[in-house]
Amino acid sequence: MQVLPGLRAIGVAALAGVALVSIQSPPPVAASTPADRVISIAQAHLGDPWRYGAEGPSAFDCSGLVIYSFEKAGYGSKVANGRYRSAYALYSWYRGRGLASRTGGQRGDLVVWGGGSHVGIYLGDGKAISTLTSGVRIHGVYAVTAPFTAFLHTHMSGATTVTFTSYRYTTEALRLRAGPSTSYSTYAILDRNTKLGIRSSKLDSADRRWYWVYSFDARRGGWVAGWYTRAV
């Protein structure tokens, strides 16, 4: 996969100072959920060294460990099948789908620090596994000197991480957009009568209401023109 040198350099700088809290590796558990399978693979590489641009199986950088663990577990689609080979690119990919937030982290989600300079896998209970300059380690979410930015919700644990204020249906084929106006790019075309979970809304310059929604059919979030929807 292609390495992006500029973004890599940012990640190295962010990890130059790490307030690492030593956490004993938990005993192995049965991989009963997709999240468990991904985490089990990542934990099997505890102590492996950090190396710039490394993708495994014996050395990793931060995004290398994430992509390797998801692909090895059979869930490469959760990390764009390795197309985005940096922490910042993964963060942008999830954020564009409405799947990044500072709350609601679940086991198997990704964790991003420093605005996209570092990424790891969330273990739950405030802990993460990631490749630091000292190697693959388990550490607290707030143990890295780069500030916590967001959880990227993979929905791998079986737990619901998104809370909806209401639900609506599309009244015709409708574009799911990156923002609340027709000037934004289109993610998907939603069929008529597509069910949408509503998170928030916003008026555009013409006082038309747009909804930030999660489409259960498209399996992603985005903005839709509210006047082409109806209440449940």
Side-chain angles (χ1 to χ4, degrees):
M1 301 176 189
Q2 183 181 7
V3 177
L4 305 177
L7 294 175
R8 294 276 179 215
I10 295 172
V12 173
L15 294 181
V18 175
L20 180 62
V21 178
S22 179
I23 298 175
Q24 185 176 2
S25 177
V29 297
S32 58
T33 70
D36 292 333
R37 290 193 283 277
V38 169
I39 289 169
S40 178
I41 290 168
Q43 287 182 335
H45 292 277
L46 281 168
D48 283 3
W50 174 88
R51 192 170 74 236
Y52 181 88
E55 304 171 358
S58 57
F60 301 90
D61 65 6
C62 67
S63 58
L65 177 69
V66 169
I67 293 170
Y68 176 90
S69 300
F70 276 80
E71 290 188 335
K72 195 76 171 176
Y75 300 102
S77 63
K78 295 293 185 179
V79 288
N81 294 309
R83 292 196 305 274
Y84 303 112
R85 194 55 186 85
S86 73
Y88 180 79
L90 285 170
Y91 175 40
S92 298
W93 189 66
Y94 269 86
R95 184 173 56 182
R97 286 156 176 75
L99 296 174
S101 72
R102 291 184 59 83
T103 60
Q106 299 290 336
R107 185 171 168 84
D109 284 350
L110 305 186
V111 190
V112 170
W113 293 269
S117 63
H118 186 57
V119 65
I121 303 170
Y122 189 54
L123 306 180
D125 298 323
K127 301 179 183 66
I129 183 170
S130 75
T131 309
L132 306 173
T133 51
S134 57
V136 178
R137 298 285 186 268
I138 292 175
H139 54 83
V141 168
Y142 295 98
V144 180
T145 54
F148 166 76
T149 298
F151 293 109
L152 309 183
H153 301 297
T154 64
H155 299 152
M156 299 282 282
S157 68
T160 301
T161 60
V162 179
T163 301
F164 303 116
T165 59
S166 61
Y167 297 89
R168 300 182 72 85
Y169 285 92
T170 58
T171 57
E172 59 181 70
L174 189 57
R175 294 177 184 270
L176 184 68
R177 295 184 179 274
S181 117
T182 56
S183 63
Y184 286 91
S185 59
T186 299
Y187 288 148
I189 304 296
L190 306 179
D191 293 333
R192 185 175 179 272
N193 288 326
T194 296
K195 185 178 182 180
L196 308 171
I198 307 299
R199 289 287 306 279
S200 62
S201 67
K202 185 176 182 179
L203 296 177
D204 64 14
S205 58
D207 286 332
R208 299 175 300 185
R209 186 164 300 279
W210 291 77
Y211 290 107
W212 191 99
V213 306
Y214 182 80
S215 167
F216 300 95
D217 289 352
R219 297 184 180 181
R220 64 177 301 169
W223 291 86
V224 298
W227 57 99
Y228 292 125
T229 69
R230 61 179 175 82
V232 174

